[in-house]
Amino acid sequence: AQKVTQAQTEISVVEKEDVTLDCVYETRDTTYYLFWYKQPPSGELVFLIRRNSFDEQNEISGRYSWNFQKSTSSFNFTITASQVVDSAVYFCALSDETSGYSTLTFGKGTMLLVSP
Amino acid sequence: DGGITQSPKYLFRKEGQNVTLSCEQNLNHDAMYWYRQDPGQGLRLIYYSQIVNDFQKGDIAEGYSVSREKKESFPLTVTSAQKNPTAFYLCASSGTTPFAFSNQPQHFGDGTRLSIL
């Protein structure tokens, strides 16, 4: 069975600090996808990134960066120079191999609080 | 703008009552999903549908029912058999490709918060 673990329930930082959100996953599939979503207080989930298991290159998008390490089954998310608007719950998710469709297994989320 | 619309935003259920949550998308996505979110928990899959007139149970389907009569609509009914329905419900949709190993990201609606009266 697939499993996603986000061990950090809540993280509090001060604006401009860097912060890393951890994600560890378990799967028996050799091909899979990993996702990060942001859930602001308004409730909707906002898609941030998708990464497939064949692509271990790290990715950077503005202040966001992701570190995918297959050897440790981790897909960590770093926010550089955090801002108050980054305050949200962040979910890591894993999808199975079903062709063409993504049935996601979510972690329990990490609540990030960025104070001014 | 394309997107997913969930209604109502807040819903109250009386004991023994069935209630239906609406989900409509205009993204032309084939696949649609319903998730339940409880405080401090991740999202758990209730039902999903890959194509019109077809749907599959997710991890926590008991006490829920769905229909998929139109591509753009995937309503969820919370039946009286669901003894603990208070939660935040999220609907999502995703596109598909003819190729394997190219799962498309899911796009989510704003959610419906269901409470018991």
Side-chain angles (χ1 to χ4, degrees):
Chain A
Q2 297 188 323
K3 186 178 178 182
V4 176
T5 301
Q6 295 180 255
Q8 305 149 308
T9 304
E10 185 173 319
I11 301 175
S12 293
V13 299
V14 177
E15 215 171 11
K16 296 185 184 175
E17 282 185 31
D18 298 346
V19 58
T20 295
L21 283 60
D22 298 332
C23 173
V24 174
Y25 62 92
E26 296 175 27
T27 180
R28 292 181 183 170
D29 294 338
T30 54
T31 303
Y32 50 88
Y33 284 78
L34 293 160
F35 300 78
W36 274 95
Y37 284 87
K38 173 182 180 181
Q39 185 178 41
S42 52
E44 82 279 15
L45 265 72
V46 178
F47 166 71
L48 296 178
I49 191 172
R50 176 187 62 177
R51 172 68 73 216
N52 74 52
S53 53
F54 296 122
D55 182 2
E56 289 193 67
Q57 270 197 327
N58 292 331
E59 181 155 340
I60 297 174
S61 176
R63 296 184 297 108
Y64 294 171
S65 62
W66 290 270
N67 184 319
F68 177 29
Q69 293 200 342
K70 224 169 171 178
S71 59
T72 56
S73 298
S74 66
F75 186 43
N76 296 338
F77 173 30
T78 297
I79 301 175
T80 303
S82 59
Q83 299 176 2
V84 173
V85 293
D86 295 327
S87 296
V89 180
Y90 291 86
F91 290 98
C92 180
L94 169 69
S95 78
D96 67 13
E97 270 191 337
T98 306
S99 173
Y101 303 95
S102 58
T103 304
L104 295 173
T105 299
F106 283 84
K108 293 188 176 182
T110 296
M111 178 178 288
L112 174 64
L113 300 172
V114 182
S115 54
Chain B
D1 283 356
I4 299 175
T5 302
Q6 289 188 242
S7 63
K9 199 169 179 65
Y10 299 94
L11 186 58
F12 298 92
R13 194 191 89 167
K14 295 180 181 177
E15 291 288 337
Q17 187 183 42
N18 293 353
V19 292
T20 297
L21 285 60
S22 170
C23 178
E24 304 276 333
Q25 55 100 357
N26 60 5
L27 299 168
N28 200 32
H29 286 167
D30 285 318
M32 297 187 74
Y33 313 80
W34 273 105
Y35 293 92
R36 171 180 171 139
Q37 184 179 17
D38 294 283
Q41 301 292 319
L43 279 69
R44 292 183 291 169
L45 183 65
I46 305 173
Y47 269 97
Y48 66 103
S49 168
Q50 298 173 346
I51 200 168
V52 174
N53 292 323
D54 186 48
F55 48 83
Q56 287 78 40
K57 292 182 180 180
D59 300 321
I60 55 165
E62 187 173 347
Y64 300 97
S65 66
V66 293
S67 63
R68 187 84 188 277
E69 297 176 3
K70 297 186 296 182
K71 185 176 183 177
E72 57 272 19
S73 178
F74 191 41
L76 173 74
T77 296
V78 184
T79 75
S80 57
Q82 173 49 247
K83 297 307 179 189
N84 183 22
T86 298
F88 187 54
Y89 291 87
L90 283 158
C91 178
S93 69
S94 68
T96 59
T97 73
F99 308 107
F101 317 138
S102 56
N103 291 5
Q104 297 299 308
Q106 293 181 18
H107 299 265
F108 286 80
D110 290 346
T112 293
R113 200 166 295 280
L114 175 63
S115 302
I116 296 181
L117 280 176

